[in-house]
Amino acid sequence: MLKCDEALIESGEQQEMFEINQFIISLLEDHEDFVKRHVSIDYQFLLHHKFVSACAFFRNDAKSCSYSERVLPHILAQSEEEGFNHSKKAIVLAEYADFCKKIGKYDDSKKYYDEALLTWKVSLPYEGCMDDFEFMLLKKDRQASILISQADLALTRSIAEKKSVAKEARRDSINNWNAASELYQEIIENTKPRHVFVCIESAISSKSQCHLLMAIQYGKLKQWNDAEENFERAIGQNDSAADIAMVRMRIGRLYFDRYIHNSTTVDGQHDENLSKAIIQTSIASHKFETLNAKSPPIFLDRAHQSYFLGHIYEAIDHAISYLKIYVKIRTGLCCNACNQPHLDGEVKHYCKACNAAFYCNRVCQYQDWRGENQISAKHRSLCPLVKAWKQLCEMRPEVEDMA
C-alpha cells in the first residue's frame, strides 16, 4: 500500500479518494502494455493524466516520473499521426515538463514546456463543448500557466547549477511572468458571463501573483521603482484580504531593503524608506490580526525595523515571537523552501546545524539558504538564531512561555 498521511483518510470522502486513486495507479501499472496496444491515442493521453493526478494525490513524484518516462515517448510518437486531440497532448507535455524539472532534467523540461506552449497555440476546441471564442480564452489561460512554469524553471535551474540565481535568470523569469500577466489581462477584459470554462476570478488572482513575483525579482535586482510599481499592480483588482496583507508585508520589506542598501550612500529618501517600511509592515500586521492569521515573517520584519529605530528590547520581543512560531511549525511536515508537504519518513534533506529546516531536495535547500524561497528570510542568517533558541529551550523550557 502507498504511504499516505493519516489526515488524508480522516473522513469517508477522503478514504474513498484514497481507494480510487490507489486503484487507478494499480490498474494502469498492471495493464500498461494493454493500454499501449489497444487504447486510442486520445484516451492514452487521458489515462496518463489520470495516473499523474492519482500520484499527485499521494505526492509521489518518483512514481509519476517513472511511469511518464516509460509511456510518454510512445504516446508522443503515436500522436504525430492525425486525428488526436491537441489539447490533451498539451496538458500531458506540460505535466511531464513539471516532473522533469523536479528531477533535474532541465533541458527536457524546457523542451516539453516549449512544445506544450506551441501545441496550445495550434490546438482546436473540443467538439461541441464550447465556442471558438471561449476556447481562445482557455488557450490563453493554459499558455499563461506554462509561461509561469517556465519562469520558475529559469530560477530553479540557476539555483541547481550555480547555487545562486543569476541576473539573466531573474530577467528571463520577469519576462515570462510579464507575458503571462498580459494574457491574463486579455482574459479579464474579454470573459463574458456565459463563459463557463474560463474563471475571471482565477485570472485576476493569477495576474496579481505574476506581478507579486515580478516585484520580488525586481527587488533582488535593486530596481526599486519597478518593484514598487509591480507590488501596487499586485494589489490592483485583488480583493483577497490575505493576499493584500502578504503584498503589504512584501512592500514593507522592499522599503527596508532599500533603506539598508542606501545606508552607506547619500540619499534624500534614506529615512523616508525606513518610515515607509514601518507603515507598510504595520498595515500588513493589522490585516493579519484582523484575519486571525499568523505570519511568522512579519515578526522578523518588525524586529529588524525596531532594531534600526533603536528599540532594542522591542526588537528582541519580536525576534522571540518569530523563533517560537518558526521552531514550532517547522517540524518536517513541509519543505522550508517551497512548502511542499512531506510524507512520513520522506524527509531526506535537512539543516544539520539547527535540525529545524527540512527540504524536498538540495535545490530547495540552496533556495532557502540564499533567501530565494519566497517564504521566509535566508536560512543562512536564521540558522544560528534557531539553533541557539532550541538550545535555550532545552536548558530552560520556561522561556517558551515568554510573552
Side-chain angles (χ1 to χ4, degrees), residues 256 259 274 277-278 281-282 298-319:
F256 185 76
Y259 168 79
L274 181 57
I278 294 168
T281 303
S282 297
I298 202 81
F299 291 107
L300 192 61
D301 292 343
R302 298 186 74 175
H304 286 147
Q305 294 163 12
S306 297
Y307 175 81
F308 279 91
L309 285 172
H311 303 158
I312 306 302
Y313 291 111
E314 186 177 322
I316 292 173
D317 285 342
H318 288 312

Side-chain angles (χ1 to χ4, degrees), residues 108-126:
D108 287 343
S109 181
K110 184 179 185 307
K111 171 187 173 184
Y112 288 117
Y113 278 137
D114 289 342
E115 287 188 24
L117 199 60
L118 179 61
T119 303
W120 270 118
K121 290 179 180 178
V122 301
S123 60
L124 301 173
Y126 299 115

Side-chain angles (χ1 to χ4, degrees), residues 159-160 163-165 220 250 253 297 300 322 326 330 334-339 349-351 354 356-383 386:
I159 278 283
K163 299 185 180 180
S164 64
V165 179
K220 300 280 188 182
R250 285 287 185 179
R253 193 172 298 174
L300 192 61
Y322 175 80
Y326 182 94
R330 297 301 177 187
C334 63
C335 177
N336 224 49
C338 68
N339 252 5
H349 301 276
Y350 61 94
C351 177
C354 68
F358 306 86
Y359 306 100
C360 302
N361 48 50
R362 288 296 180 194
V363 175
C364 283
Q365 192 161 3
Y366 292 146
Q367 288 178 326
D368 193 38
W369 187 255
R370 293 184 172 274
E372 298 288 347
N373 50 31
Q374 318 301 346
I375 298 173
S376 60
K378 295 178 182 179
H379 190 65
R380 179 171 56 186
S381 303
L382 289 177
C383 186
V386 174

Side-chain angles (χ1 to χ4, degrees), residues 143-145 147-148 175-185 210:
Q143 289 172 51
S145 178
L147 287 166
I148 291 172
N175 290 337
N176 281 317
W177 284 318
N178 188 54
S181 173
E182 291 175 354
L183 289 171
Y184 284 128
Q185 184 60 37
C210 285

Side-chain angles (χ1 to χ4, degrees), residues 133-184:
F133 185 77
E134 185 175 5
F135 187 71
M136 179 194 72
L137 296 177
L138 177 63
K139 290 202 298 182
K140 290 182 183 297
D141 179 76
R142 296 300 172 84
Q143 289 172 51
S145 178
I146 293 170
L147 287 166
I148 291 172
S149 296
Q150 288 181 316
D152 180 67
L153 173 63
L155 298 177
T156 301
R157 182 170 193 167
S158 185
I159 278 283
E161 295 178 349
K162 301 179 181 179
K163 299 185 180 180
S164 64
V165 179
K167 290 183 179 180
E168 295 76 13
R170 296 194 195 280
R171 293 193 177 99
D172 286 344
S173 295
I174 289 171
N175 290 337
N176 281 317
W177 284 318
N178 188 54
S181 173
E182 291 175 354
L183 289 171
Y184 284 128

Side-chain angles (χ1 to χ4, degrees), residues 149-303:
S149 296
Q150 288 181 316
D152 180 67
L153 173 63
L155 298 177
T156 301
R157 182 170 193 167
S158 185
I159 278 283
E161 295 178 349
K162 301 179 181 179
K163 299 185 180 180
S164 64
V165 179
K167 290 183 179 180
E168 295 76 13
R170 296 194 195 280
R171 293 193 177 99
D172 286 344
S173 295
I174 289 171
N175 290 337
N176 281 317
W177 284 318
N178 188 54
S181 173
E182 291 175 354
L183 289 171
Y184 284 128
Q185 184 60 37
E186 291 183 41
I187 294 170
I188 293 167
E189 292 174 352
N190 293 288
T191 300
K192 308 298 180 185
R194 60 185 172 83
H195 294 150
V196 297
F197 290 93
V198 180
C199 177
I200 190 168
E201 289 80 10
S202 176
I204 291 172
S205 177
S206 297
K207 182 176 185 292
S208 173
Q209 184 68 12
C210 285
H211 284 296
L212 174 61
L213 294 170
M214 289 166 65
I216 292 171
Q217 294 306 319
Y218 275 128
K220 300 280 188 182
L221 292 169
K222 306 296 188 293
Q223 295 179 220
W224 310 114
N225 293 336
D226 290 328
E228 187 175 353
E229 179 184 346
N230 277 279
F231 274 131
E232 293 300 334
R233 288 185 179 181
I235 295 174
Q237 296 172 289
N238 195 332
D239 57 1
S240 167
D243 288 348
I244 293 173
M246 187 62 68
V247 175
R248 290 297 178 192
M249 183 182 73
R250 285 287 185 179
I251 295 175
R253 193 172 298 174
L254 174 74
Y255 283 127
F256 185 76
D257 288 345
R258 190 171 184 176
Y259 168 79
I260 295 298
H261 178 71
N262 294 333
S263 61
T264 58
T265 63
V266 178
D267 184 355
Q269 292 183 318
H270 182 57
D271 292 334
E272 183 181 349
N273 287 325
L274 181 57
S275 298
K276 288 181 177 179
I278 294 168
I279 291 170
Q280 294 294 334
T281 303
S282 297
I283 293 172
S285 181
H286 176 71
K287 288 186 178 293
F288 282 126
E289 289 173 3
T290 302
L291 294 168
N292 197 26
K294 288 185 178 180
S295 177
I298 202 81
F299 291 107
L300 192 61
D301 292 343
R302 298 186 74 175

